[in-house]
Amino acid sequence: DSGVTQTPKHLITATGQRVTLRCSPRSGDLSVYWYQQSLDQGLQFLIQYYNGEERAKGNILERFSAQQFPDLHSELNLSSLELGDSALYFCASSVGDTPSNYGYTFGSGTRLTVV
Amino acid sequence: GESVGLHLPTLSVQEGDNSIINCAYSNSASDYFIWYKQESGKGPQFIIDIRSNMDKRQGQRVTVLLNKTVKHLSLQIAATQPGDSAVYFCAESGRYSTLTFGKGTMLLVSP
């Protein structure tokens, strides 16, 4: 167990729907990162939050949004889902706002299937 | 769990052999590099890291080599075991940037 908790582990939903993925970072970590992993795109960085504030943005679609709450857990909201959004979504955490010393700790991911 | 490596380059070795996995990175400003291991159905797991002021770092059965001149990183695994079978990713970051991951290499170890 890495200490990063993601729920749910699996999610199946229809096109056009909206889902929320949840992440609890490792105890003591202030940064949360979201990554999307698909077969042909590898691990793509979506967004980072540090202590409740957005810190960096990657290839995140406008249909996607995220937030980090005062207790440091984070949620990734995916709306108007398309078949191409089917992927593994990983949350990772780190103590600081940069990947120094052991990089990020990853959760076990949420597998999203859009049908 | 479903494989994430269907379209990845694959390295097949025999148990006990040494494995070398290579990675070319793109950003000459990157100063921190990490190798991750991802087993089927799990998230990436930290293996070893190296900073740009070093060219070699050793861990337990693993060694990372960094060649900044040609922007190349390699992971050497000694006495490869079936439990080493996984997808291996290199990742890079600059001083104030997030980690960018490479495409990954699948390592298959035969007993």
Side-chain angles (χ1 to χ4, degrees):
Chain A
D1 181 7
S2 68
V4 177
T5 303
Q6 288 189 249
T7 57
K9 291 193 182 304
H10 302 276
L11 200 49
I12 301 175
T13 190
T15 54
Q17 294 299 305
R18 181 180 187 274
V19 297
T20 298
L21 312 183
R22 182 187 167 101
C23 169
S24 293
R26 196 178 54 165
S27 178
D29 286 357
L30 298 178
S31 272
V32 168
Y33 310 82
W34 287 98
Y35 280 81
Q36 180 191 57
Q37 186 175 42
S38 55
L39 285 174
D40 58 352
Q41 292 295 320
L43 276 157
Q44 296 291 312
F45 169 67
L46 297 178
I47 198 164
Q48 175 198 2
Y49 280 83
Y50 176 73
N51 204 21
E53 295 188 359
E54 182 183 304
R55 183 57 64 100
K57 223 169 188 177
N59 301 318
I60 187 166
L61 301 172
E62 286 192 9
R63 301 184 285 109
F64 295 1
S65 65
Q67 56 184 325
Q68 186 179 30
F69 295 86
D71 67 352
L72 301 178
H73 91 271
S74 177
E75 293 181 354
L76 178 67
N77 301 297
L78 315 176
S79 62
S80 303
L81 285 167
E82 302 174 359
L83 295 177
D85 297 327
S86 296
L88 273 166
Y89 290 84
F90 285 104
C91 170
S93 69
S94 67
V95 173
D97 59 351
T98 58
S100 58
N101 301 329
Y102 308 109
Y104 307 158
T105 301
F106 281 82
S108 56
T110 293
R111 176 168 298 286
L112 174 65
T113 303
V114 183
V115 297
Chain B
E2 182 180 322
S3 169
V4 296
L6 293 180
H7 306 288
L8 296 175
T10 300
L11 175 65
S12 296
V13 301
Q14 294 288 118
E15 182 177 1
D17 288 352
N18 295 330
S19 302
I20 300 177
I21 300 171
N22 296 302
C23 173
Y25 65 93
S26 56
N27 189 348
S28 57
S30 292
D31 62 0
Y32 182 55
F33 305 87
I34 304 175
W35 280 100
Y36 280 92
K37 172 186 180 183
Q38 186 177 22
E39 297 173 282
S40 183
K42 297 183 179 179
Q45 178 184 9
F46 174 92
I47 301 174
I48 191 168
D49 59 357
I50 189 168
R51 298 201 172 275
S52 58
N53 61 352
M54 303 173 69
D55 54 19
K56 179 179 180 179
R57 191 162 188 226
Q58 289 184 291
Q60 186 177 11
R61 282 202 307 120
V62 294
T63 300
V64 55
L65 299 177
L66 174 63
N67 185 329
K68 295 180 290 293
T69 303
V70 295
K71 293 190 286 187
H72 183 267
L73 198 64
S74 69
L75 176 70
Q76 301 178 0
I77 304 174
T80 314
Q81 302 167 0
D84 295 326
S85 293
V87 177
Y88 289 81
F89 293 94
C90 65
E92 60 179 296
S93 78
R95 184 166 183 168
Y96 299 108
S97 65
T98 55
L99 281 176
T100 299
F101 283 78
K103 293 294 185 185
T105 296
M106 178 173 282
L107 176 65
L108 297 175
V109 183
S110 306

